[in-house]
């Protein structure tokens, strides 16, 4: 392989990694928000994403039946799914998660973590088996012509190099970045963002300052589920899924959250972006079947150097 072909292959994989990483990053932000503010490890996060994917399939099927741009309806459906699943997340917190988290469990020996793990695992199993009963086990996706089309960047380097970007993945990445930027504005410029940060830093002190910590946690859980659901619907435009797909993604989500730094919402996005890059670039030297191995190899190397993650705070112990 000549130099131009090698450079073209590298740039193609790098571009694919960035685009895929944006979507992984958004779902990591959803999980990172829940953990960073509530300190709850939600094993059902991937399964809520799967429900969002099925919502997207049904929504696009209904809105684009016979005519219409399926990709456009998929992007609209992703935003609507975010709103719908914000309500679902808030309801699940009010009815279940809130009973084993927040101020009421801080005094427990393990901070309620055992009950949280068992509860979220139970929710995960209910969603998986419920989806299997309703939708079956056959993989489905949101059918859109854009999944088979690509934009060409180039020709570059004296006309010898061209980079192709899948249109469905490209639009999904753009929507993911836009939603992440909106969240950043909410967290830094709004009253609810300040309340969420206060509830995360010191829930007891926040309560004394008049902040309803349980409400803040409910909002955080709802937003976290909504973000991951938005990412899920856009991913469904180019990736088939089935009721157990959430299991595959929740591992990547946790890896991204830990890489970015536990408690760092912005770091979670960069952690997901790094996972996408490693996943694609690893195929330069490894078989495609070892992508996950490469991800966790890099994961372990980074944690050896920075145990707190890329953007986590280094807490000095006395």
């Amino acid at each position: 392989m000549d130099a131009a072909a090698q450079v073209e292959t590298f740039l193609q994989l790098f571009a694919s990694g960035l685009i895929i990483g944006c979507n992984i990053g958004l779902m990591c932000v959803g999980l990172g928000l829940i953990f960073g503010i509530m300190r709850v490890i939600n094993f059902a996060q991937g399964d809520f994403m799967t429900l969002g994917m099925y919502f997207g399939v049904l929504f696009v099927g209904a809105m684009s039946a016979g005519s219409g741009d399926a990709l456009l309806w998929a992007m609209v459906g992703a935003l609507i799914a975010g709103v719908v699943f914000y309500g679902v997340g808030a309801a699940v917190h009010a009815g279940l998660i809130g009973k084993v988290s927040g101020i009421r469990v801080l005094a427990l020996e393990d901070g309620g973590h055992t009950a949280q793990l068992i509860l979220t695992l139970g929710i995960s199993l209910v969603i998986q088996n419920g989806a299997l009963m309703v939708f079956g086990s056959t993989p489905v996706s949101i059918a859109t012509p854009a999944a088979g089309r690509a934009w060409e960047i180039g020709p570059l380097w004296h006309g010898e190099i061209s980079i192709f970007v899948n249109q469905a993945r490209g639009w999904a990445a753009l929507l993911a970045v836009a939603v992440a930027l909106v969240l950043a504005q909410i967290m830094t410029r709004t009253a609810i963002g300040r309340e969420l940060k206060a509830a995360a830093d010191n829930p007891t002190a926040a309560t004394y300052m008049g902040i309803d910590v349980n409400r803040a946690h409910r909002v955080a859980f709802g937003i976290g589920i909504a973000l991951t659901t938005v990412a899920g619907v856009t991913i469904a435009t180019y990736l088939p899924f089935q009721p157990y797909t959430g299991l595959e993604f929740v591992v990547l989500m946790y890896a991204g959250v830990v890489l970015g730094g536990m408690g760092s919402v912005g770091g979670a996005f960069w952690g997901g972006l790094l996972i996408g890059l490693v996943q694609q670039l690893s195929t330069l030297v490894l078989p495609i079947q070892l992508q996950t191995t490469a991800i966790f190899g890099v994961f372990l190397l980074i944690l050896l150097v920075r145990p707190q993650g890329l953007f986590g705070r280094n807490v000095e112990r006395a």
Side-chain angles (χ1 to χ4, degrees), residues 120-143:
T120 57
L121 282 171
I123 293 172
S124 173
L125 290 173
V126 169
I127 293 175
Q128 289 171 18
N129 288 283
L132 184 63
M133 292 172 62
V134 174
F135 300 107
S137 60
T138 303
V140 296
S141 64
I142 297 175

Side-chain angles (χ1 to χ4, degrees), residues 1-8 160:
M1 184 182 295
D2 59 25
Q6 291 177 341
V7 171
E8 183 177 49
E160 296 184 37

Side-chain angles (χ1 to χ4, degrees), residues 132-198:
L132 184 63
M133 292 172 62
V134 174
F135 300 107
S137 60
T138 303
V140 296
S141 64
I142 297 175
T144 167
R149 299 173 183 166
W151 295 304
E152 181 180 1
I153 302 175
L156 308 171
W157 199 1
H158 308 295
E160 296 184 37
I161 293 176
S162 291
I163 302 171
F164 295 91
V165 177
N166 181 273
Q167 291 184 11
R169 295 187 181 193
W171 283 113
L174 290 173
L175 182 63
V177 171
V179 172
L181 290 174
V182 169
L183 175 68
Q185 295 300 306
I186 291 174
M187 295 296 292
T188 56
R189 298 180 180 273
T190 66
I192 188 62
R194 291 188 287 272
E195 289 182 9
L196 292 176
K197 288 182 178 180

Side-chain angles (χ1 to χ4, degrees), residues 5-274:
Q6 291 177 341
V7 171
E8 183 177 49
T9 300
F10 174 83
L11 292 176
Q12 183 66 60
L13 292 173
F14 186 84
S16 297
L18 280 179
I19 290 171
I20 293 172
C22 286
N23 291 289
I24 297 175
L26 184 61
M27 65 176 72
C28 289
V29 168
L31 183 61
L33 188 71
I34 291 173
F35 180 82
I37 293 174
M38 299 175 58
R39 298 297 188 266
V40 169
I41 299 175
N42 181 22
F43 281 111
Q45 190 79 4
D47 301 292
F48 281 111
M49 184 193 77
T50 304
L51 285 183
M53 289 174 154
Y54 280 113
F55 175 91
V57 169
L58 296 175
F59 178 84
V60 174
M63 301 305 296
S64 64
S67 63
D69 190 331
L71 182 63
L72 174 62
W73 283 118
M75 299 299 108
V76 173
L79 297 176
I80 293 176
V83 175
V84 170
F85 280 88
Y86 170 82
V88 171
V92 169
H93 179 273
L96 296 172
I97 304 296
K99 310 300 183 184
V100 296
S101 64
I103 295 292
R104 71 181 70 194
V105 301
L106 289 178
L108 297 179
E109 183 178 353
D110 65 347
H113 294 306
T114 301
Q116 293 163 11
L117 290 173
I118 294 173
L119 177 59
T120 57
L121 282 171
I123 293 172
S124 173
L125 290 173
V126 169
I127 293 175
Q128 289 171 18
N129 288 283
L132 184 63
M133 292 172 62
V134 174
F135 300 107
S137 60
T138 303
V140 296
S141 64
I142 297 175
T144 167
R149 299 173 183 166
W151 295 304
E152 181 180 1
I153 302 175
L156 308 171
W157 199 1
H158 308 295
E160 296 184 37
I161 293 176
S162 291
I163 302 171
F164 295 91
V165 177
N166 181 273
Q167 291 184 11
R169 295 187 181 193
W171 283 113
L174 290 173
L175 182 63
V177 171
V179 172
L181 290 174
V182 169
L183 175 68
Q185 295 300 306
I186 291 174
M187 295 296 292
T188 56
R189 298 180 180 273
T190 66
I192 188 62
R194 291 188 287 272
E195 289 182 9
L196 292 176
K197 288 182 178 180
D201 290 339
N202 192 325
T204 302
T207 300
Y208 290 140
M209 294 298 293
I211 295 173
D212 187 342
V213 173
N214 287 329
R215 172 179 171 271
H217 284 183
R218 187 160 57 251
V219 170
F221 194 82
I223 294 176
I225 296 298
L227 293 174
T228 300
T229 301
V230 170
V233 175
T234 58
I235 288 172
T237 60
Y238 60 83
L239 188 71
F241 66 94
Q242 39 82 16
Y244 297 101
T245 295
L247 284 174
E248 304 168 15
F249 279 97
V250 77
V251 177
L252 295 181
M253 289 186 216
Y254 275 110
V257 170
V258 175
L259 277 176
M262 299 294 275
S264 173
V265 176
F269 185 86
W270 292 108
L273 194 64
L274 178 61

Side-chain angles (χ1 to χ4, degrees), residues 261-287:
M262 299 294 275
S264 173
V265 176
F269 185 86
W270 292 108
L273 194 64
L274 178 61
I275 285 175
L277 286 171
V278 172
Q279 186 183 63
Q280 294 300 305
L281 292 176
S282 65
T283 58
L284 289 170
V285 294
L286 295 172

